[in-house]
Amino acid sequence: MNLTKQVRVLFLNEMEKLEKRLFRLEQGFELQFRLGPTLQGKDVTVYSNYPPPGSPYNRHKFHPLQWHNPTGREEDSDKFCKLDLQIAGSFQYRFNQSNGEGYIVVDPVLRAGADDHVVHLDCITLETFLSKCLGPFDEWEDRLRVAKESGYNMVHFTPLQTLGKSRSCYSLADQLQLNPDFSRPGKTYTWSDVGKLVDKMKNEWEVLSITDVVYNHTASNSKWITEHPECAYNLVNSPHLKPAWLLDRALWHLTCDVAQGKYATRGLSALIQTDQQLNSMRGIIWEDIYPKLKLWEFYQIDVSKAVEQFRSQNITGGKSDPKQLVIIQDPEYKRFDCSVNMDVALNTFIPNSNGPAAIEECCTWFRKRLEELNAEKHKQMNFHHEQAVNCILGTMTYERLAGHGPKLGAVTKKDPIVTSYFTYPFEEISLAEEELMMHQPDKACYFMAHNGWVMGDDPLKNFAGPESNVYLRRELICWGDSVKLRYGDKPSDCPYLWDYMRKYTEITAKYFHGVRLDNCHSTPIHVAEAMLAAARSVRPNLYVIAELFTGSEYIDNVFVNRLGITSLIREAMSAYNSHEEGRLVYRFGGEPVGSFVQPCLRPLVPSIAHALFMDVTHDNESPITHRSAYDSLPSSAIVSMACCATGSTRGYDELVPHQISVVSEERFYTKWNPKLAAPNPSEVNEKSGIIAGKKALNRLHQELASSGFIQVYVDQVDEDIVAVTRHCPHTHQSVVAVSRTAFRDPKTSYYSKEVPQMCIPGKIEEVILEARTVERKAEPYTQDLKFINGLPQYTVEIREHIQLGDSKIVKQAGITTKGPNEFVQEIDFENLTPGSVIIFRVSLDPKAQKALAALRNQLIQFSPHFSSGSLQDDQAPPVLKFPLATIASKLSIADLNQVLYRCDAEEQEDGGGCYNIPNWTPLKYAGLQGLMSVMVDIRPKNDLGHPFCDNLRSGDWMIDYVSNRLVTRGGACAQVGKWLEAMFSYLKQIPRYLIPCYFDAILLGAYTTLLDTTWKQMSSFVQNGSTLVKHLALGSVQMCGIGRFPCLPVLSPSLTDVPYRLNNITQEKEQCCPSLAAGLPHFASGIFRCWGRDTFISLRGLLLITGRHIEARNIILAFAGTLRHGLIPNLLGQGTYSRYNCRDAVWWWLQCIQDYCAIVPNGLAILQCPVSRMYPKDDSPPNPAGDVDQPLYQVIQEALQRHAQGINFRERNAGPQIDRNMRDEGFNVCAGADPVTGFVFGGNRLNCGTWMDKMGESERARNKGIPATPRDGSAVEIVGLSKSTVRWLKDLSDKNIYPFKGVTVQREGKEVTLTFSEWNQRIQDQFEKLFYVSEDPSDPNEQRPDLVHKRGIYKDSYGASSPWCDYQLRPNFPIAMVVAPELFTPQNAWKALEVAEKKLMGPLGMKTLDPDDMVYCGVYDNDLDNENSNRAKGFNYHQGPEWLWPIGYFLRAKLHFAKLMDQESYQKTVVLVKNVLSHHYTHLERSSWKGLPELTNENGQYCPFSCETQAWSISVVLEVLHDL
């Protein structure tokens, strides 16, 4: 795989609809879709409207994506489908018939200059121009040059089309024609001329151009809208607006009356100046207007007419609910023309008889109900009236009374009470006559709704649609110069409008590099989608910006996703102080300084929309009106340091002290004149306003983005001073801008002369610029009549690229050290006045630079990312002359256990422990996995404030721990330790704030190298397996290791391939065979590390399948050496402290020998391997290795012989010294094989010889010494395991590979031989009869039908001392199904497995008892001690909690028997298996232990008493994957 290609992975999950999440990607990225846990194993097809190579984009056309399965196996958890992203825009994906869906947004690539160089989005510095203020086209260049000379690289033009009568920049009369104002008499300019200028600006000036597109309205005087009134919301196509239109006309007539003084006697003159007058207005509307309009009548029914219709119709039918009777709105909205469903009425009001009196009574009830319905409509209209009055008075308050409002003065026809909501192109007549016109289509079609915006409304809903009452309730803030356009749902709803706007879009995209979506939040989103698709077909790399006022980031994301918006406009003017301004810089871009290096392949995570951060937009007032002229420069500097696109509006830099109105401004912008000597209202140059400062800031902004300064740190130095750092993670150069804002005017407000000292880490190379806003001699400001002029008395005093000693702002700079390798420059300011900016370029000190370059050079072996800024170190330590992969190749897997894992208990045994992070928690492992488990959470979030990172920054303790721990171990581990030590020697020489990032880079590289080394030593099943297989296989490394003290008994000295080492204390050679821990952290060390049962349940998956055959052989032979009484130990205790109290371990051991012979090449040779018998006789003292050696096959035979003869003994040292809870009878161990059935049996009611071995411990609950699950008699899994062994030995014996034909036993003084063939057949003949609980209640084989609780299952045991225990549903019979499937009738087995699936299967494990059982309890709490004998002291350990290892056998059994059913059953089972395993995959990834737990509480809930990672849990899942 290409190591530098950026790949993002999106995990899909059932029903996940992510249209409100933003996923931003770049061209050249690869996006992979993978199945999340809820979809694993299911047949999923992913579709996308991203076009296949060579095909055009069609947003409605979705293509299926092809799955790639890297392993080519049935286990396909790694499969993915992908998109190679080569085009910009918004693209949708969905899967399984919109079961889940989402969007991705691919950024455009912008290019400028004659060389077509790329302009990164974060390089953009944009300036907005009101196009109408550019003047005649032949003067544009001189006016636009101001942007070029001010350092901007993008110009935003407001629309260049013909304007409407209001002269608003956004009210367009003709969307296809260039504004004729730009032409001169005798010279008409066209779009082609504009295109040539745009090209010149791009190629010669390196300035790109964008313009607005306005889709949701057109000027009221647009000629085309009168020719095509269907394109607007009028009273013909939108009759629901008729009541609102009538109210609107009434308010117009009220305007006329007030203007003429008709209401003066009622306290309402034309000039409205008091709240009392507003109250009079309220009274007039309520008393005169509303009663006259009677708007409720448009929503009511003619009661008399409806009653007559009711009376005349046949009155028959059944009873209905009267509430179902509702008013049906008249679609034409005529007074009293609504109706009701007469069928419902006839079925609701039914007479008692056919007599006239009964019918009349019904009519009366019907009339009463209709009057109630009408009254509800009246009441509803009153609510609308109330809101309408409030909105009318609110508008009047703002427009006529408010200090910040326009103070319109007297009510006139030009300045009405409120802006009309609708056009009215006819002569004025009375309101009554106008109402008649409302129903005449030839006139009503010209009553068109104006556009506007609604405060707090849902932007995704159409406020002019029939579901909305915005116009009726007067909630619209109306633009009286524009008509709202009505597109409908699709082009066929209004063909002319769609076609017209498409042409408009294509013209725009042809000539401009991008568009600003005007009024985006109110534009129908489906319309904007279609238009932008048309624009991108003309210009694929279209830059799209928009300003959204949705009030919700999630709603913003809907627009960004569906429209493919590149940048959202954000404004510094929204900041109420310098602290907030700094926060916005941090919010809108960049990552924290010292961020971690992210891998090229990583999960796709949601992001925030890319920002175009503007100091002011053209819609808002000049900041000078709210702040001060002195603040323009420092606030610009703060904005310019943001790691995103930035922008401004023409006039800001010239210090224009008022808003340049998009509606009323008719003056022209000033031109550029570099030779200008004194301020001139028609011209500007670098000395005008803050232009010189802005030019330097814009160029710096572009340099920072193009040079990779992607990291940001914002420091609020004091109330007014903000320091913004931009940092480059490749060169580790920084640029630090210190800005002293002046929100308050320094002339009239107090600012302290004491400026806090600043500490800047590193070495200051230069002062990039220092600038101050200063006053100069000039005429006082007067607003020019022809040109938009700024304050002439201010200019910027600027000095660029000077040395620190030459600065006029810095008083002195001292160098100090903070720690051994942290150089800091202390800056004292003397002239950082309000309105000042100083920007430093900072490098690391030379020693740190050299160390970092050498470190990056070493890291190239892991990723080419580190190439930039790297340098070879000729004095590098010798260990670094070789790549780590070469050093790691000398490690054995046992060594890798030391390097990667080892929990605290294992380390303490060696005299150490896991690293403890102060104020947090100890690491889970001492090896690298302990660190990686923490960093895997920190890295993607860049959580540099985590205690882990604090510890790294504070000192070298963790760094030294990691290397020293390995160096002291000697051997190959020490070489890895020395390599780390050498790498850390560089790390210790760099600034502390960079240490977490580079510590992570070193360890991540080392970790991945070591994992590759591990997998290379494993089987092809692992090497070629999925990520899940590989990560589970690491459980083999995690669990199988060798500590300071060997856990296994010594093997026969004559055995080859046994590992040896030198004992550090005795200096003698000793065996060092790795052993398997049962689980971490509880069963990791000492005598509690190795258990016979756990070892041999785990051995097949962790050692045989992974290819660790020598380790498997040595463990099998070591346990063989401890055979005693025909059993192998439960607790091994190195063989000398063994307890022989389990009946099943020996059968798991025998199963593993069988598996070894089957899996390992020439595996049968193990039968001849020498076994050093520790106990040649039951009462022997422990014998040293080599004293008594036997071939393994003889030890196997002894185990079977002893079972056939019968085993009866009392445990040695019986009593509280070996088990403080067990009662006396429990120490008596018995086992044997039933001569009739062949079943292996054993145990008694007071001991527990199987894996369900919980012994009661609570005296309070009186369960102490009582086993929760004795499972005496013949446990089903032991019967299955013994059958498997006997069958196997029969087959070997038949082939003369095994020298014994059977077992010989003493029966009544006689020697009797039981052949393996006979034994095998007896079990086969009896099993189904005695273990299957038939679905037939009259089954003659059923001895205790009274105890049957579930039918169609297999018993958990046969012959238990408590007979009802035999019938409990537990997850043990699937074990027998896997090891001895021949015992089971396939149909019966399948049904039993279905019951187990339904009743026992949990998310990760299997319930250990049927939840319908009276003693079931699914939550294990070993600390609980109460009087409940079923729960106290964890008595329910195996009475409900969900253990993981049985699920492996359940799934394997399902797979086996599914193949015997039919293809459909098998496919469904594969889906089930994959889905279940996906939960294990998820747990494995999230677990800081990187393992699978021993058990969970019910329904997969976390159990704090469980081992966090358990050998057999990992092993069985590997076995399922192997079976797949």
Side-chain angles (χ1 to χ4, degrees), residues 316-390:
T316 57
K319 194 75 175 163
S320 292
D321 184 352
K323 284 182 182 172
Q324 288 182 344
L325 193 69
V326 292
I327 288 181
I328 300 166
Q329 181 60 49
D330 166 36
E332 291 303 313
Y333 282 78
K334 293 176 181 170
R335 292 184 188 271
F336 293 122
D337 230 24
C338 295
S339 60
V340 292
N341 185 323
M342 206 50 78
D343 288 340
V344 172
L346 294 168
N347 283 316
T348 303
F349 302 97
I350 302 169
N352 296 327
S353 67
N354 290 332
I359 291 172
E360 195 55 44
E361 186 186 16
C362 261
C363 289
T364 302
W365 283 110
F366 180 49
R367 177 185 295 276
K368 187 178 177 187
R369 180 62 187 138
L370 293 181
E371 287 167 350
E372 286 173 0
L373 291 173
N374 274 353
E376 285 171 20
K377 292 294 181 185
H378 195 174
K379 184 178 177 184
Q380 201 172 36
M381 183 52 68
N382 273 342
F383 289 133
H384 295 328
H385 284 343
E386 185 67 46
Q387 175 67 355
V389 170
N390 291 339

Side-chain angles (χ1 to χ4, degrees), residues 623-624 626-631 720 741-751 775 791 793-794 834-835:
I624 295 172
H626 291 284
R627 300 181 183 177
S628 75
Y630 287 92
D631 186 63
D720 304 301
T741 58
F743 277 51
R744 296 162 287 124
D745 190 340
K747 294 177 184 174
T748 57
S749 300
Y750 171 74
Y751 282 86
E775 289 200 47
L791 299 174
Q793 67 268 39
Y794 295 99

Side-chain angles (χ1 to χ4, degrees), residues 21-55:
R21 296 266 182 91
L22 172 59
F23 296 113
R24 275 184 63 211
L25 295 142
E26 294 176 34
Q27 291 178 55
F29 279 32
E30 178 183 300
L31 174 62
Q32 293 184 359
F33 296 98
R34 299 190 182 216
L35 300 182
T38 55
L39 291 173
Q40 279 290 339
K42 295 184 179 175
D43 184 19
V44 177
T45 305
V46 181
Y47 300 88
S48 176
N49 60 3
Y50 184 91
S55 302

Side-chain angles (χ1 to χ4, degrees), residues 894 897-898 902 1040-1047 1061 1072-1074 1089:
N897 166 266
Q898 305 266 351
R902 294 179 60 80
C1040 189
I1042 172 74
R1044 187 177 176 189
F1045 306 108
C1047 286
R1061 70 182 177 192
C1072 55
C1073 295
R1089 176 177 172 88

Side-chain angles (χ1 to χ4, degrees), residues 661-877:
S661 168
V662 296
V663 178
S664 59
E665 187 60 78
E666 294 293 338
R667 297 173 299 158
F668 294 159
Y669 290 121
T670 49
K671 294 180 179 178
W672 181 258
N673 178 2
K675 297 175 182 173
L676 184 68
N680 175 339
S682 66
E683 295 176 321
V684 292
N685 68 1
E686 281 199 6
K687 296 243 180 337
S688 307
I690 64 163
I691 286 178
K694 184 57 84 71
K695 178 180 182 178
L697 291 170
N698 282 340
R699 288 189 174 165
L700 177 63
H701 178 82
Q702 292 160 29
E703 179 205 323
L704 293 176
S706 60
S707 302
F709 284 73
I710 58 171
Q711 298 186 343
V712 180
Y713 173 68
V714 180
D715 181 15
Q716 185 76 33
V717 180
D718 74 3
E719 182 188 356
D720 304 301
I721 300 172
V722 178
V724 182
T725 300
R726 289 280 294 275
H727 182 84
C728 174
H730 301 287
T731 63
H732 294 293
Q733 261 202 352
S734 297
V735 170
V736 182
V738 183
S739 304
R740 190 169 194 191
T741 58
F743 277 51
R744 296 162 287 124
D745 190 340
K747 294 177 184 174
T748 57
S749 300
Y750 171 74
Y751 282 86
S752 171
K753 289 182 181 174
E754 296 298 317
V755 175
Q757 185 189 63
M758 270 197 72
C759 293
I760 296 179
K763 180 186 172 200
I764 295 175
E765 299 282 355
E766 66 163 347
V767 175
I768 296 173
L769 75 87
E770 60 179 29
R772 294 190 304 143
T773 310
V774 293
E775 289 200 47
R776 61 175 174 175
K777 282 186 180 178
E779 293 296 316
Y781 172 77
T782 54
Q783 189 168 312
D784 193 76
L785 298 176
K786 291 184 180 176
F787 300 100
I788 303 168
N789 59 324
L791 299 174
Q793 67 268 39
Y794 295 99
T795 187
V796 167
E797 185 183 87
I798 183 167
R799 303 165 78 222
E800 297 185 72
H801 305 292
I802 60 171
Q803 288 306 300
L804 195 56
D806 300 329
S807 168
K808 292 182 179 179
I809 289 181
V810 173
K811 181 178 178 183
Q812 64 178 35
I815 296 177
T816 183
T817 56
K818 177 184 161 192
N821 301 301
E822 192 96 35
F823 289 87
V824 173
Q825 293 208 236
E826 295 174 338
I827 305 294
D828 290 310
F829 298 103
E830 65 175 348
N831 215 4
L832 190 68
T833 54
S836 303
V837 174
I838 184 166
I839 303 179
F840 305 100
R841 190 182 303 279
V842 186
S843 297
L844 302 181
D845 69 272
K847 187 183 172 191
Q849 278 188 52
K850 188 179 173 187
L852 247 173
L855 179 54
R856 289 180 72 89
N857 185 61
Q858 288 293 334
L859 291 170
I860 295 170
Q861 64 184 294
F862 306 129
S863 168
H865 168 87
F866 296 101
S867 302
S868 59
S870 67
L871 208 62
Q872 196 162 332
D873 178 13
D874 296 330
Q875 275 81 48

Side-chain angles (χ1 to χ4, degrees), residues 1052-1257:
S1052 168
S1054 62
L1055 192 65
T1056 58
D1057 294 329
V1058 176
Y1060 283 85
R1061 70 182 177 192
L1062 205 63
N1063 187 302
N1064 288 339
I1065 298 165
T1066 65
Q1067 293 301 304
E1068 290 179 2
K1069 211 167 88 161
E1070 67 179 10
Q1071 288 183 9
C1072 55
C1073 295
S1075 61
L1076 275 172
L1080 309 181
H1082 306 318
F1083 305 115
S1085 62
I1087 63 167
F1088 293 106
R1089 176 177 172 88
C1090 287
W1091 300 72
R1093 175 191 303 122
D1094 296 68
T1095 294
F1096 293 109
I1097 291 175
S1098 309
L1099 188 130
R1100 180 175 184 266
L1102 292 188
L1103 299 183
L1104 293 178
I1105 283 174
T1106 59
R1108 300 184 67 182
H1109 300 153
I1110 292 293
E1111 290 96 331
R1113 182 204 69 174
N1114 292 345
I1115 289 171
I1116 288 169
L1117 297 176
F1119 272 89
T1122 63
L1123 189 86
R1124 201 176 199 182
H1125 306 291
L1127 301 173
I1128 65 163
N1130 180 20
L1131 183 64
L1132 178 62
Q1134 296 170 328
T1136 50
Y1137 301 100
S1138 303
R1139 282 193 72 187
Y1140 293 85
N1141 62 336
C1142 72
R1143 308 192 307 273
D1144 57 351
V1146 68
W1147 296 106
W1148 283 111
W1149 171 72
L1150 288 164
Q1151 183 65 38
C1152 278
I1153 299 171
Q1154 182 184 164
D1155 292 335
Y1156 181 95
C1157 293
I1159 291 170
V1160 179
N1162 194 28
L1164 288 164
I1166 195 175
L1167 299 176
Q1168 303 295 335
C1169 284
V1171 173
S1172 277
R1173 295 295 299 274
M1174 189 176 272
Y1175 305 107
K1177 296 181 179 175
D1178 291 348
D1179 54 359
S1180 302
N1183 280 26
D1187 268 21
V1188 180
D1189 276 11
Q1190 283 181 306
L1192 177 63
Y1193 70 82
Q1194 287 188 1
V1195 185
I1196 294 171
Q1197 184 64 17
E1198 182 180 329
L1200 272 87
Q1201 189 78 38
R1202 295 297 295 271
H1203 275 81
Q1205 182 64 52
I1207 297 166
N1208 269 293
F1209 67 93
R1210 183 170 174 81
E1211 282 196 80
R1212 281 160 192 76
N1213 301 313
Q1217 59 269 32
I1218 63 167
D1219 193 327
R1220 67 175 190 266
N1221 296 310
M1222 191 175 274
R1223 298 187 184 185
D1224 188 69
E1225 189 186 330
F1227 292 107
N1228 299 333
V1229 178
C1230 77
D1234 187 285
V1236 178
T1237 62
F1239 296 170
V1240 171
F1241 65 87
N1244 64 45
R1245 66 187 184 87
L1246 290 178
N1247 62 28
C1248 29
T1250 73
W1251 76 276
M1252 293 183 163
D1253 56 358
K1254 180 66 181 180
M1255 180 62 72
E1257 300 174 38

